[in-house]
Amino acid sequence: MRPQKISDTDLIAALTATFRSKGYEGTSLNEIAEATGLKKASLYHRFPKGKKEMAECVFNYINTWIEEHLFYALADNNFPPKQRLINGLAHIRTLYDEGNETCIFRAFSMQTGLELFEHHINSGMTAWINAFTELGVALNLSPTEANKKAIETLIQIQGALIVTKGLNDISVFNNAIKYIEKQYLE
């Protein structure tokens, strides 16, 4: 058996970068092949169901990263709730490379991507809301207020990422993260 030309880690990183930059619909197999250094036949060998399977692999990778880093940080009872918030926001900065990266929800929520990945997008956003709601309750907010603040947090992050890209100004994202911290800690 011949060794793989690209490791699974590098392959997922290349797929993630390509889908983030072009969206699901806008990404062609030629672009994926170019980004990964693999021929289409090799891509189909690794992903027999094609581009949709590649996108699902990206979702699974990002969801696993978020669970292991962000959600774990928000729920880690070894730290007081204020520190958990600070740690969680640091992971959000990492996930979006300080605002330089597009959110995968956005990349897959256009055109047919929304139809194909609605469940992934819905469950991902719901998990974010639930994690921030639990943190809000730990910060002594009522469950209703914690849920409201969690939804606002998701909106602020997603909105800041879009505006950051539109204005080509990462300070928008960084200011949104600071605002979220302030909102929870006041």
Side-chain angles (χ1 to χ4, degrees), residues 9-184:
T9 302
D10 290 341
L11 177 61
I12 292 170
L15 291 172
T16 301
T18 305
F19 283 126
R20 273 181 159 167
S21 71
K22 304 260 183 186
Y24 179 77
E25 194 70 29
T27 299
S28 71
L29 284 177
N30 286 336
E31 290 167 320
I32 292 171
E34 185 178 317
T36 62
L38 296 174
K39 295 188 183 316
K40 288 182 190 179
S42 295
L43 286 168
Y44 276 109
H45 177 73
R46 287 173 97 163
F47 301 99
K49 295 179 184 170
K51 188 167 95 168
K52 184 173 188 264
E53 186 177 1
M54 293 174 209
E56 287 175 345
C57 182
V58 168
F59 264 117
N60 291 336
Y61 170 77
I62 290 177
N63 284 338
T64 298
W65 190 96
I66 290 169
E67 287 173 13
E68 291 175 354
H69 295 87
L70 173 60
F71 295 166
Y72 179 80
L74 294 175
D76 187 354
N77 287 322
N78 292 316
F79 295 98
K82 289 179 182 182
Q83 186 61 49
R84 291 172 10 209
L85 172 66
I86 291 166
N87 295 346
L89 294 175
H91 287 299
I92 290 172
R93 284 186 172 100
T94 300
L95 177 64
Y96 297 117
D97 187 28
E98 300 293 334
N100 289 303
E101 291 289 351
T102 301
C103 178
I104 206 69
F105 294 145
R106 179 180 174 269
F108 286 113
S109 65
M110 295 181 216
Q111 299 167 338
T112 59
L114 183 57
E115 295 168 22
L116 292 172
F117 305 109
E118 181 178 9
H119 172 73
H120 290 288
I121 294 166
N122 184 290
S123 64
M125 288 185 175
T126 299
W128 276 65
I129 292 167
N130 290 342
F132 275 97
T133 298
E134 290 175 19
L135 177 68
V137 169
L139 287 164
N140 297 319
L141 298 173
S142 72
T144 301
E145 185 61 27
N147 183 258
K148 179 182 172 192
K149 199 170 288 285
I151 292 169
E152 289 171 1
T153 297
L154 183 60
I155 292 168
Q156 289 167 352
I157 291 167
Q158 297 303 312
L161 288 167
I162 291 169
V163 175
T164 294
K165 287 288 184 195
L167 297 177
N168 194 28
D169 181 1
I170 61 169
S171 72
V172 173
F173 177 77
N174 290 313
N175 288 335
I177 296 295
K178 290 175 189 171
Y179 178 79
I180 291 167
E181 182 179 337
K182 181 181 173 188
Q183 288 299 107
Y184 274 95

